[in-house]
Amino acid sequence: MHCRQCFSGYHNLCASVETTIVGRFGGFADLVRCNSAWAVPLPSDMDADSVGPLFCGGITVFNPIVQFDVKPTQRVGVIGISGLGHLALQFLNKWGCEVTAFSSSLSKADEARSLGAHHEVDYRNSESMQALTGQFDFILNTTNVTLD
C-alpha cells in the first residue's frame, strides 16, 4: 500500500497490482496471503462457496452504485437482466430505488419482476426508449452489445 489508489480503497486500480490468477500460481489455492486491507472476513456462519459470486459479479455491479452515490429515492435502469443484471436488479431494489429493467426480450418480464424490477422495457423498441428520455438518475449497463 503505497499509492493514491490503494489508500483510497481502489486497490484494483493500483499501477503495481499483483493478480492472484493471471500469470501466477495459486489462484485456485485453499489459502492466499495478502495485505489485510484487501481481505474481507466472512462471518463464520457463511459458506465461502455460496458467497464467492458476490465478490465477483456482485461487486462488479454494487461498486458503481456506491461510486456514483445512487440514492434510495432515485429512478434507475438496468440494461440486461441476465448474468450481472440479475444481481443489479436485486441490489437496487433493496437499496430502495424505483428500478426499470431494460431487456431485449420481454419474455423475461416475470423474471425481472421477481428480481426486483418495477418496470420492464424492450430496449429494441425505439418508441418506448424515446418516451423514457431523461427519466432516470442512473443507468447501469450490464451488457456487451451495441445499443441504439
Side-chain angles (χ1 to χ4, degrees):
M1 299 242 321
H2 63 280
C3 67
R4 181 174 49 90
Q5 286 82 5
C6 287
F7 284 118
S8 63
Y10 296 105
H11 311 108
N12 59 312
L13 301 178
C14 176
S16 58
V17 67
E18 293 185 33
T19 61
T20 57
I21 295 177
V22 179
R24 297 179 63 124
F25 296 108
F28 298 101
D30 292 330
L31 299 170
V32 176
R33 177 181 268 173
C34 70
N35 184 305
S36 63
W38 306 333
V40 178
L42 293 179
S44 60
D45 63 338
M46 294 185 96
D47 172 45
D49 291 340
S50 300
V51 177
L54 294 177
F55 285 99
C56 186
I59 198 64
T60 299
V61 296
F62 188 74
N63 191 49
I65 296 168
V66 174
Q67 271 190 315
F68 291 95
D69 198 26
V70 175
K71 305 273 192 280
T73 56
Q74 292 182 322
R75 296 185 67 200
V76 300
V78 175
I79 304 172
I81 64 167
S82 299
L84 297 173
H86 83 281
L87 292 170
L89 291 174
Q90 293 175 76
F91 286 149
L92 289 162
N93 176 284
K94 298 298 183 200
W95 203 253
C97 299
E98 182 180 338
V99 185
T100 298
F102 292 88
S103 179
S104 63
S105 174
L106 286 183
S107 65
K108 297 180 184 178
D110 290 338
E111 179 184 7
R113 286 210 183 253
S114 73
L115 294 169
H118 299 98
H119 317 281
E120 307 81 27
V121 176
D122 178 352
Y123 64 68
R124 294 174 302 171
N125 183 321
S126 296
E127 290 177 20
S128 296
M129 294 297 288
Q130 286 194 358
L132 295 171
T133 300
Q135 298 297 309
F136 297 96
D137 301 296
F138 178 76
I139 297 176
L140 182 60
N141 182 0
T142 68
T143 67
N144 186 24
V145 298
T146 302
L147 300 170
D148 182 1

